């Protein structure tokens, strides 16, 4: 089956630094990537949608200058949390839709990244 | 905008028994997809079952089945013969049937506990 590899699985960083999270589609081409954030004991909230080669579309309330998304290739999308603060501590998870697959095709999830900002 | 509501923050079931998790949603679309995802402590999202809105027949996957009531916008999950490994967070999710806005919208989740 389609595999999405997400790295790192967990990261601890100091306040003010930047952290990059990668999602790679290993055996398919991901034209669309959805980035979600999940706070403890809460649901997954969509942060942004990225299409390969295009600028990401951010959900209301998500700062695009703080959460930089790059989807420059069909197998790699990255989320960079810039100038991280403790309130950015959360679980971040990506979900990919493959090229050539209809809009009803399955979405493939990465295993998530637990970010802790100290 | 679409919303998904899970009214049961926690549910408990005895091993080998049956439990039903509730989900309601709101949409103005006529064609869409509904899903139940399981999230164990590992936080991996696991697809449990999927339902196409245009299908009247309820989806089933082994011990998992749904009761899809389109007019009532209700989509409940029934787990039969519950097993200890079923303990997890369960999320109901909605997805539009269109190229735009094709993301999953999740409910708040239900934590299922299975008692031995």
């Amino acid at each position: 089956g389609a595999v999405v590899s997400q790295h790192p699985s967990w990261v601890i960083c100091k306040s003010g630094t930047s952290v990059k999270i990668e999602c790679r589609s290993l055996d398919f081409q991901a034209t669309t990537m959805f980035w979600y954030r999940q706070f403890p004991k809460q649901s997954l909230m969509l942060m942004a949608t990225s299409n390969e080669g295009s600028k990401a579309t951010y959900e209301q309330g998500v700062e695009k200058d703080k959460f930089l998304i790059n989807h420059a290739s069909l197998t790699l999308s990255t989320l960079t949390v810039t100038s991280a603060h403790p309130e950015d501590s959360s679980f971040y998870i990506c979900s990919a839709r493959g090229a050539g697959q209809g809009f009803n095709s399955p979405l493939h999830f990465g295993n998530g990244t637990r970010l802790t900002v100290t | 905008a679409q919303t998904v509501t899970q009214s049961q923050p926690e549910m408990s079931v005895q091993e080998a028994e049956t439990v039903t998790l509730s989900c309601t949603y709101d949409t103005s679309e006529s064609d869409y997809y509904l899903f139940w995802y399981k999230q164990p402590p590992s936080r991996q999202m696991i697809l449990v079952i999927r339902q196409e809105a245009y299908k009247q027949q309820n989806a089933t996957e082994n011990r998992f089945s749904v009761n899809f009531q389109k007019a009532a916008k209700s989509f409940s999950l029934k787990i039969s013969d519950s097993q200890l490994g079923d303990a997890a967070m369960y999320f109901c999710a909605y997805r539009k049937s269109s190229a735009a806005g094709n993301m999953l919208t999740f409910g708040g989740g239900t934590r299922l506990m299975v008692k031995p």
Side-chain angles (χ1 to χ4, degrees), chain B residues 44-109:
Chain B
Q44 174 68 39
M45 296 297 286
I46 301 167
L47 177 63
V48 175
I49 199 165
R50 150 191 168 132
Q51 174 80 43
E52 291 87 348
Y54 64 85
K55 289 186 177 179
Q56 291 189 338
Q57 187 172 7
N58 289 323
T60 62
E61 286 288 340
N62 302 313
R63 298 182 296 108
F64 299 88
S65 62
V66 299
N67 183 2
F68 173 48
Q69 300 291 325
K70 191 172 184 179
K73 296 181 181 174
S74 170
F75 183 61
S76 61
L77 173 70
K78 185 171 83 171
I79 306 175
S80 304
D81 185 26
S82 297
Q83 301 175 359
L84 295 177
D86 294 334
M89 282 292 292
Y90 285 82
F91 292 99
C92 178
Y94 166 99
R95 187 180 181 195
K96 276 168 74 172
S97 177
S98 64
N102 194 229
M103 70 291 287
L104 287 164
T105 299
F106 290 92

Side-chain angles (χ1 to χ4, degrees), chain B residues 18-42:
Chain B
T18 296
V19 65
T20 298
L21 308 184
S22 300
C23 174
T24 58
Y25 59 94
D26 188 25
T27 183
S28 58
E29 305 286 330
S30 60
D31 197 16
Y32 49 86
Y33 301 88
L34 297 166
F35 305 83
W36 279 97
Y37 279 89
K38 172 184 178 181
Q39 188 182 45
S42 67

Side-chain angles (χ1 to χ4, degrees), chain A residues 44-95:
Chain A
L44 285 76
M45 300 300 295
L46 182 69
M47 298 176 67
T49 302
S50 72
N51 291 297
E52 185 266 337
S54 303
K55 288 185 178 181
T57 301
Y58 290 82
E59 295 299 301
Q60 192 172 10
V62 179
E63 300 174 59
K64 62 180 181 180
D65 294 331
K66 181 171 184 61
F67 298 100
L68 300 179
I69 291 173
N70 184 284
H71 193 165
S73 81
L74 285 171
T75 57
L76 175 64
S77 178
T78 61
L79 166 66
T80 301
V81 183
T82 62
S83 187
H85 290 282
E87 57 265 31
D88 299 324
S89 298
S90 187
F91 187 72
Y92 294 86
I93 189 164
C94 61
S95 177

Side-chain angles (χ1 to χ4, degrees), chain A residues 3 6-7 10 12 18 20-21 27 32 38 44 52 55 61 63-64 70 74 80 82-83 85 90 98 100 107 110 114:
Chain A
V3 176
Q6 184 171 345
H7 288 283
W10 61 271
I12 301 173
S18 295
K20 179 183 285 188
I21 300 169
D27 50 3
T32 303
Q38 184 180 28
L44 285 76
E52 185 266 337
K55 288 185 178 181
E63 300 174 59
K64 62 180 181 180
N70 184 284
L74 285 171
T80 301
T82 62
S83 187
H85 290 282
S90 187
L107 297 179
R114 183 184 301 277

Side-chain angles (χ1 to χ4, degrees), chain A residues 14-53:
Chain A
K14 295 194 174 194
S15 188
T17 61
S18 295
V19 173
K20 179 183 285 188
I21 300 169
E22 293 186 349
C23 273
R24 293 181 184 273
S25 54
L26 299 186
D27 50 3
F28 70 101
Q29 294 182 324
T31 51
T32 303
M33 191 73 75
F34 303 101
W35 287 94
Y36 290 88
R37 178 168 56 185
Q38 184 180 28
F39 290 110
K41 298 186 179 181
Q42 294 188 25
S43 187
L44 285 76
M45 300 300 295
L46 182 69
M47 298 176 67
T49 302
S50 72
N51 291 297
E52 185 266 337

